[in-house]
C-alpha cells in the first residue's frame, strides 16, 4: 500500500480520488526540497510509493493535470528525468486547458530545472 493510499480508503476508486483532492490537494508533493532524497533515509521509498499512488489517480482521471505534475516531480526527485519530462509536459498542457495557471507555472519551473 502506498503512502497516499494508506491515508485514504482506496476500496472505492472514486472515493480515493476525491479524498485526495479534498484532504491534501496533492500539496505534500508540490514544491518538495530541490535536492533528491538521500539513500537510506526512506525518502526514495516515499517518492516511489507516491508514484504508484499517482498512477492510480491518473488511471481514474486521465485529465488530472495536478496528478501528472506531482508524478513528474516525484520522478525528477528520483533522478528519473526521462519519465518526468513527459509528465510535466502533460501537466502544462492540461493545466492550461483547465485554466490552472499556478500549476502550469509549477510544471514549467520543474521542467526547466531538469532540462
Amino acid at each position: 500500500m502506498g503512502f497516499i493510499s494508506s491515508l485514504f480508503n482506496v476500496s472505492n476508486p472514486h472515493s480515493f480520488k476525491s479524498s485526495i483532492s479534498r484532504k491534501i490537494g496533492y500539496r505534500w508533493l508540490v514544491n518538495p526540497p530541490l535536492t533528491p532524497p538521500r539513500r537510506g533515509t526512506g525518502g526514495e521509498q516515499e517518492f516511489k510509493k507516491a508514484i504508484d499512488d499517482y498512477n492510480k489517480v491518473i488511471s481514474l482521471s486521465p485529465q488530472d493535470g495536478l496528478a501528472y505534475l506531482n508524478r513528474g516531480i516525484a520522478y525528477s526527485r528520483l533522478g528519473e528525468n526521462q519519465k518526468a519530462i513527459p509528465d510535466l509536459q502533460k501537466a502544462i498542457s492540461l493545466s492550461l486547458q483547465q485554466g490552472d495557471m499556478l500549476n502550469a507555472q509549477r510544471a514549467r519551473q520543474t521542467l526547466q530545472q531538469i532540462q
Side-chain angles (χ1 to χ4, degrees):
M1 179 178 294
F3 173 74
I4 294 175
S5 59
S6 69
L7 298 175
F8 305 99
N9 174 12
V10 294
S11 60
N12 178 346
H14 299 291
S15 171
F16 175 66
K17 182 187 180 303
S18 63
S19 292
I20 289 174
S21 297
R22 278 193 321 272
K23 293 182 181 176
I24 64 171
Y26 308 102
R27 286 175 286 152
W28 78 275
L29 197 52
V30 172
N31 295 326
L34 295 178
T35 56
R38 292 182 308 218
R39 293 198 183 278
T41 62
E44 283 183 5
Q45 277 308 109
E46 290 302 315
F47 283 118
K48 289 177 182 177
K49 289 176 187 175
I51 288 168
D52 289 341
D53 291 335
Y54 286 117
N55 287 339
K56 292 174 189 173
V57 173
I58 290 168
S59 72
L60 296 171
S61 181
Q63 299 301 311
D64 191 332
L66 195 50
Y68 283 99
L69 168 61
N70 286 327
R71 189 175 71 176
I73 290 170
Y75 278 133
S76 73
R77 297 307 180 250
L78 291 173
E80 297 182 26
N81 293 343
Q82 295 302 342
K83 292 181 180 179
I85 290 170
D87 275 358
L88 295 168
Q89 291 170 335
K90 181 81 169 182
I92 293 167
S93 173
L94 290 172
S95 295
L96 290 174
Q97 288 174 13
Q98 297 163 1
D100 187 350
M101 299 308 161
L102 177 61
N103 286 324
Q105 182 61 29
R106 287 178 175 158
R108 279 191 192 112
Q109 289 172 341
T110 304
L111 192 57
Q112 289 172 351
Q113 289 174 353
I114 65 173
Q115 287 185 327

